[in-house]
Amino acid sequence: MTAETPRRLRADAARNSEKILRAAREIYAESGPDASLEEIARRAGVGIATLYRRFPNKEQLVRAALDQKITEEMSPAISRALEDSDPLRGLATLWEASVSFAAHERGMLGAVRHSGSLASDLSAPFYEALIVVTRRAQIAGHVRADLVPDDLHRITVMLLSVLHTVLPDSDGWKRYITLMLDGLAPARPTVLPSPEPLWQSPTRGSRSA
């Protein structure tokens, strides 16, 4: 076997992995977390055996797909926030990127939960950046000094929970990031984005009185 053959095989394997990950992201976005691996293999144009060689189980596939998505969309936002000379704008960049990501990747995140995989390590760079940018804002006197890292985690969870109350394709959640930033920096009020009517996900249902 020539040296060219192993290189070609490695290139083929890399292309197959890329096709599988792209197909997984598309299908989870369209069909939600219950999409089958067979369906993903068909969309990618590979056999199920090829999929299993690259990703032996669903947990590994969804984690790899989520990692790819985070690298493409969250990592640039983290870099922009860390490089921004305005720490409050950096905070807005981080929270907007996080909530927007969750809004557009509900199917993928659902697949991660359904597979039993833990994505906390994938979110570590986001929280590390959030702590750094918040500290800069505190030093600049723009954010209250008694805010601690645990507060940042809880605030992020609170902002993500707003997604359950706005229309799926809406950006109404931006209003609450503005409110949160003004709450942390009360001396710098900002004009709020327009409100929208309260929306409840049909999957949550409603309780009778």
Side-chain angles (χ1 to χ4, degrees):
M1 183 179 291
T2 66
E4 184 67 24
T5 301
R7 284 198 294 270
R8 186 170 62 251
L9 290 175
R10 287 194 294 271
D12 289 343
R15 281 193 293 272
N16 284 337
S17 293
E18 178 69 13
K19 289 191 293 185
I20 291 167
L21 291 175
R22 296 289 174 184
R25 286 165 49 176
E26 291 174 2
I27 288 177
Y28 287 131
E30 295 167 3
S31 307
D34 295 324
S36 69
L37 296 182
E38 289 77 7
E39 184 181 359
I40 292 170
R42 284 194 299 272
R43 176 73 64 89
V46 302
I48 189 66
T50 298
L51 185 149
Y52 278 118
R53 279 197 299 273
R54 305 272 70 81
F55 306 99
N57 53 55
K58 187 174 184 179
E59 177 182 348
Q60 291 188 27
L61 174 59
V62 297
R63 281 181 61 85
L66 182 62
D67 189 22
Q68 184 186 66
K69 190 72 173 177
I70 287 173
T71 298
E72 290 178 359
E73 296 191 4
M74 288 298 297
S75 295
I78 290 172
S79 296
R80 288 197 306 274
L82 290 172
E83 294 167 3
D84 201 321
S85 60
D86 183 338
L88 281 182
R89 190 167 56 210
L91 278 176
T93 295
L94 287 171
W95 273 326
E96 286 183 4
S98 176
V99 181
S100 177
F101 184 90
H104 291 100
E105 298 299 328
R106 297 178 199 233
M108 177 70 70
L109 295 172
V112 171
R113 290 190 294 270
H114 279 226
S115 73
S117 178
L118 296 175
S120 57
D121 55 326
L122 298 179
S123 64
F126 166 79
Y127 281 111
E128 290 169 2
L130 195 61
I131 291 169
V132 169
V133 174
T134 300
R135 183 58 184 151
R136 290 175 183 169
Q138 289 174 315
I139 292 172
H142 299 321
V143 168
R144 54 188 301 161
D146 57 354
L147 201 69
V148 299
D150 283 348
D151 294 327
L152 298 174
H153 187 279
R154 292 187 174 99
I155 288 171
T156 302
V157 173
M158 288 166 56
L159 291 171
L160 291 171
S161 71
V162 172
L163 291 175
H164 298 296
T165 68
V166 298
L167 291 168
D169 296 326
S170 165
D171 62 356
W173 46 266
K174 290 184 178 181
R175 177 181 176 89
Y176 302 95
I177 291 177
T178 303
L179 278 169
M180 185 61 66
L181 288 171
D182 276 1
L184 298 178
R188 298 182 62 179
T190 306
V191 176
L192 291 173
S194 300
E196 65 174 59
L198 189 65
W199 181 84
Q200 187 176 49
S201 170
T203 59
R204 298 178 66 195
S206 59
R207 294 186 299 177
S208 58

